[in-house]
Amino acid sequence: QVVSQSIATASLPHLAHKHARGEHQDYVTMLKKNITTIFAISLLASICFVLFKDTIVHVLYGNTSRASEIALMVKYLALSLPLYAISVYFVSAFSASKDTMGLFYANFLSTIVGVSCLLVGRHFNQGIISIAYASWTLNITYLLLLAYFYSRKRATRATL
């Protein structure tokens, strides 16, 4: 989260400048480079969270009777970290291109899907793990919708 947000904040002015000047190839190149960096760092962090989940739970919560359940939750949420980190970066990319409606629709629709997943999980007594399912579903839906809006915008630009 910290790395993704930092890269997004630092690159926003550069992305906006490239977009405003019509330097679309440079814009896309910068996006790819930053997404690769964010994915690599967040994947490494995710692996560390999965490997050290029991230690993390012990440090944060001590010896609790629900340690194994919390560790499982840390594991599943850690696995969604790369998706979340990339989606945080895409907010800057879309903002730089002044496409705030695409962000709004992607955020709104993916939140509905994520909350629905959470409610279905609770209905079937999935317990705390339904939060992880909802997180995964929300992040995947968000990235798919952003990809859809981005490709639609590119297709519109190509026809002009």
Side-chain angles (χ1 to χ4, degrees):
Q1 168 67 19
V2 173
V3 171
S4 178
Q5 193 67 40
S6 298
I7 292 173
T9 302
S11 66
L12 179 60
H14 300 289
L15 288 170
H17 178 73
K18 290 179 186 315
H19 186 270
R21 297 188 79 191
E23 299 170 359
H24 298 295
Q25 188 58 40
D26 290 342
Y27 178 86
V28 170
T29 301
M30 187 175 193
L31 282 178
K32 288 179 181 177
K33 180 180 141 215
N34 289 339
I35 288 169
T36 302
T37 301
I38 290 168
F39 183 76
I41 292 170
S42 61
L43 184 62
L44 180 62
S46 180
I47 291 168
C48 288
F49 273 114
V50 170
L51 292 176
F52 300 110
K53 66 186 178 301
D54 295 322
T55 304
I56 292 168
V57 170
H58 180 71
V59 167
L60 293 175
Y61 298 102
N63 291 327
T64 177
S65 61
R66 299 188 74 173
S68 62
E69 190 175 7
I70 296 168
L72 184 64
M73 184 67 177
V74 168
K75 174 184 166 183
Y76 284 118
L77 288 176
L79 292 173
S80 72
L81 180 62
L83 294 174
Y84 179 73
I86 291 170
S87 68
V88 167
Y89 181 73
F90 271 121
V91 170
S92 285
F94 271 72
S95 297
S97 68
K98 299 180 182 171
D99 185 4
T100 54
M101 288 308 292
L103 281 174
F104 170 77
Y105 288 127
N107 191 33
F108 182 74
L109 295 172
S110 64
T111 299
I112 289 172
V113 170
V115 170
S116 299
C117 182
L118 179 64
L119 293 174
V120 167
R122 288 183 50 93
H123 177 73
F124 290 106
N125 295 320
Q126 294 294 312
I128 198 167
I129 201 68
S130 62
I131 296 171
Y133 295 149
S135 175
W136 269 89
T137 307
L138 187 144
N139 285 314
I140 290 169
T141 304
Y142 188 66
L143 288 173
L144 289 174
L145 286 168
L146 287 177
Y148 167 74
F149 289 124
Y150 179 74
S151 65
R152 200 175 91 190
K153 186 175 182 172
R154 283 187 72 187
T156 303
R157 189 179 333 120
T159 59
L160 295 178

